[in-house]
């Protein structure tokens, strides 16, 4: 019934859509649980939302952490038509789903989104990008990532064809490119990082993506010059390239802009203009509007604003404040923590964050959450995690650590294993750099520019280096060294402990 949270803990499949639809039809709010999340994080999410029922698959049923919730294995349900069950009395402002994001206090926070939030999103975007029953969409992203809300419901509410992409296909760009070709996909949603891999495959793939009519970027800042190779081959309009900016608390998308040749030469990421039912204000630290050309923090008001953080009224009151710019009672402003400036022609240029939050491959990350878990480890006195770009302009997390010298300094393997008990894989730093002290500015603040770049030395893995055998092992080790940018790779070394991830595994292939 209304306001009841139901966990959905299934592999990406047809049941992903069926289970979420079933929860909504029964009047509840679905809580998507990515099967890659560690048990501690899933337990916290179910506890925070006060969930009492979790839907599972046969393959996930026994991996769900134990707790005060009932599990329901979808394979055991009677698939016969249930007749005409009495549906609950619902209201548009009832909760539809709760999606969690990283939290600065070391705990992820859930955001409650209503049915009204989602339906007005679909109507508002439709004014900028018409879509309908003739389209074919792919559900590329995890259903625990809010980009999936737009992918899934944008397709299903308009009678379009939705291709639920298996996880392993999303990590194999050649297979995904082939899928897009064979399914005649028309609307593709990508984070810029994922698209860079797909674009590289596109240059060598025998089948062109002729049916695509729109590629929508979101989840992280887009670097428009990175699209030049694509536009040289395909142009800007067939398919249309659209950059969208938004956040979980404002229901996926806030602004849109079509990418034009002009954008490819701009130093800033252009995020365009707000959707027609939203208002965006750039304010200085005193809450006053900033002039054209001067960066200010993005504040958003309108029907896209979430109800708030689930069962966290204090945090909600901090980020969702009364709108002092209008005389209409009850209206709120959401403080995004993002910086932007207006151009004279009314376009928004994105500048980055005002805090420690970052986005990597579409995932929103509070680095303080990582630091909290690092300093809880024996042998670590201080931790500071930042995003850094490598020589291929790929963004990685780097943790700078000060040992406490009261116990043995942990190895990279030990730290990775400890973090994996609490954090999803995308939040585990690629590099761990040990320093005697953190560099400071004359004002006593951390000097980010003085932090050293990670070296190419093989990290301390806790296992003795054993050279690869001649032949195939040497060939593979050479490939690993090039992709991972390390000086040597042993025959017993773990790909992920050396700093590998799903994106780099594609480069390995």
């Amino acid at each position: 019934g209304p306001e009841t949270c139901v966990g959905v803990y299934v592999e990406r499949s047809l049941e992903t859509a069926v289970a979420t639809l079933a929860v909504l039809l029964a009047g509840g709010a679905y809580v998507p649980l990515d099967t890659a999340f560690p048990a501690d994080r899933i337990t916290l999410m179910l506890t925070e939302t006060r969930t009492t029922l979790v839907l599972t698959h046969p393959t996930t049923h026994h991996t769900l952490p134990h707790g005060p919730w009932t599990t329901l294995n979808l394979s055991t349900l009677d698939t016969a038509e249930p007749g005409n069950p009495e549906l609950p009395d619902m209201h548009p402002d009832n909760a539809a789903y709760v999606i969690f994001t990283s939290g600065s206090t070391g705990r992820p926070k859930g955001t409650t989104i209503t049915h009204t939030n989602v339906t007005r999103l679909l109507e508002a975007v439709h004014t900028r990008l018409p879509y309908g029953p003739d389209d074919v969409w792919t559900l590329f992203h995890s259903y625990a990532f809010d980009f999936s809300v737009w992918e899934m419901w944008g397709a299903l509410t308009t009678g379009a064809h939705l291709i639920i992409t298996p996880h392993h296909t999303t990590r194999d760009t050649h297979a995904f490119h082939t899928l897009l070709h064979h399914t005649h996909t028309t609307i593709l949603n990508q984070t810029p990082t994922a698209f860079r891999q797909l674009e590289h495959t596109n240059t060598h793939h025998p089948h062109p993506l002729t049916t695509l009519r729109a590629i929508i970027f979101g989840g992280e800042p887009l670097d428009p010059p990175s699209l030049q190779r694509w536009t040289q081959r395909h142009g800007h309009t067939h398919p249309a390239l659209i950059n969208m900016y938004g956040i979980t608390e404002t229901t996926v998308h806030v602004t849109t802009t079509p990418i034009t040749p002009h954008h490819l030469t701009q130093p800033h990421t252009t995020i365009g203009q707000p959707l027609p039912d939203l208002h965006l204000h750039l304010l200085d630290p005193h809450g006053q509007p900033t002039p054209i050309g001067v960066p200010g923090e993005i504040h958003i008001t309108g029907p896209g604003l979430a109800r708030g953080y689930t069962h966290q009224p204090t945090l909600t009151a901090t980020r969702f404040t009364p709108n002092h710019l209008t005389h209409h009672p009850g209206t709120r402003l959401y403080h995004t923590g993002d910086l932007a400036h207006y151009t004279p022609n009314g376009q928004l240029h994105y500048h980055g964050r005002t805090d420690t939050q970052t986005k990597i491959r579409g995932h929103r990350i509070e680095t303080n959450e990582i630091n909290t878990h690092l300093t809880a480890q024996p042998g670590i006195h201080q931790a500071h995690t930042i995003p850094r770009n490598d020589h291929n302009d790929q963004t990685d997390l780097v943790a700078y650590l000060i040992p406490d010298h009261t116990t043995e300094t942990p190895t990279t393997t030990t730290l990775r294993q400890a973090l994996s008990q609490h954090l999803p894989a995308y939040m585990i730093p690629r590099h761990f750099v040990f320093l005697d002290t953190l560099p400071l500015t004359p004002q006593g603040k951390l000097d980010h520019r003085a932090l050293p770049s990670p070296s190419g030395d093989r990290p301390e893995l806790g296992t003795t280096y054993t050279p690869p055998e001649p032949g195939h092992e040497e060939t593979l080790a050479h490939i690993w060294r090039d992709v991972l940018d390390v000086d040597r790779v042993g025959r017993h070394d773990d790909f992920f402990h050396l700093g590998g991830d799903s994106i780099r595994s594609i480069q390995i292939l």
Side-chain angles (χ1 to χ4, degrees), residues 389-406:
N389 286 4
D390 65 10
H391 63 283
N392 292 319
D393 204 32
Q394 184 162 318
T395 305
D396 296 306
L397 290 171
V398 181
Y400 293 91
L401 306 171
I402 308 298
D404 66 9
H405 301 298
T406 61

Side-chain angles (χ1 to χ4, degrees), residues 29-365:
Y30 69 93
V31 182
L33 305 167
D34 195 309
T35 56
F37 285 171
D40 279 5
R41 198 173 190 85
I42 290 175
T43 298
L44 185 147
M45 293 165 70
L46 294 176
T47 303
E48 292 278 313
T49 54
R50 302 170 189 172
T51 295
T52 58
L53 175 65
V54 182
L55 308 181
T56 64
H57 257 161
T59 53
T60 63
H61 188 71
H62 299 292
T63 62
L64 183 74
H66 294 292
W69 38 79
T70 301
T71 58
L72 187 59
N73 189 334
L74 296 178
S75 67
T76 65
L77 296 180
D78 183 359
T79 57
E81 285 291 332
N84 295 303
E86 184 177 344
L87 298 180
D89 185 15
M90 293 292 294
H91 190 276
D93 290 330
N94 282 134
Y97 64 83
V98 178
I99 280 183
F100 278 75
T101 59
S102 180
S104 59
T105 61
R107 293 170 63 88
K109 55 184 183 289
T111 302
T112 302
I113 301 293
T114 68
H115 291 269
T116 295
N117 291 150
V118 179
T119 53
R120 48 77 24 203
L121 164 74
L122 304 176
E123 293 168 0
V125 175
H126 198 275
T127 64
R128 304 281 175 86
L129 173 68
Y131 55 91
D134 294 331
D135 281 309
V136 179
W137 300 57
T138 55
L139 178 59
F140 177 86
H141 300 91
S142 164
Y143 69 123
F145 175 29
D146 72 337
F147 214 167
S148 69
V149 172
W150 157 246
E151 291 179 298
M152 185 153 52
W153 305 122
L156 297 183
T157 58
T158 55
H161 191 162
L162 179 65
I163 307 296
I164 302 179
T165 312
H167 180 266
H168 61 84
T169 303
T170 67
R171 295 299 180 261
D172 182 340
T173 53
H174 189 277
F176 183 54
H177 193 289
T178 301
L179 177 74
L180 295 176
H181 170 75
H182 287 313
T183 59
H184 307 294
T185 296
T186 62
I187 296 181
L188 173 64
N189 297 274
Q190 293 275 272
T191 64
T193 299
F195 183 74
R196 277 198 293 270
Q197 304 295 327
L198 181 66
E199 188 271 337
H200 178 72
T201 299
N202 180 255
T203 61
H204 309 289
H205 203 282
H207 301 300
L209 300 177
T210 55
T211 60
L212 280 179
R213 68 181 191 86
I215 301 175
I216 298 160
F217 301 103
E220 62 185 351
L222 171 69
D223 179 31
S226 68
L227 300 175
Q228 286 182 344
R229 282 197 308 183
W230 174 274
T231 57
Q232 286 170 0
R233 293 194 307 275
H234 305 285
H236 299 77
T237 57
H238 300 287
L241 304 176
I242 301 171
N243 191 28
M244 292 192 178
Y245 159 82
I247 33 194
T248 303
E249 290 88 340
T250 57
T251 317
V252 191
H253 298 311
V254 173
T255 69
T256 68
T257 185
I259 299 298
T260 67
H262 171 73
H263 292 136
L264 302 186
T265 61
Q266 295 303 300
H268 297 290
T269 297
T270 301
I271 59 176
Q273 296 177 323
L275 294 173
D277 64 341
L278 299 178
H279 296 284
L280 187 149
H281 306 278
L282 303 182
L283 306 181
D284 64 19
H286 304 289
Q288 298 303 309
T290 57
I292 290 175
V294 177
E297 182 184 353
I298 298 175
H299 291 69
I300 299 164
T301 186
L305 267 61
R307 179 187 297 170
Y309 296 113
T310 311
H311 303 307
Q312 296 194 56
T314 302
L315 181 60
T316 298
T318 301
R319 299 296 293 272
F320 296 82
T321 63
N323 186 357
H324 64 280
L325 302 174
T326 180
H327 299 295
H328 300 295
T331 60
R332 300 176 299 160
L333 280 175
Y334 175 69
H335 303 234
T336 68
D338 289 322
L339 292 170
H341 78 262
Y342 270 118
T343 64
N345 64 354
Q347 294 291 308
L348 281 160
H349 283 183
Y350 182 78
H351 281 265
R353 294 287 302 173
T354 63
D355 53 22
T356 62
Q357 189 187 112
T358 187
K359 279 196 173 183
I360 294 182
R361 293 185 285 280
H363 296 288
R364 187 166 131 193
I365 298 168

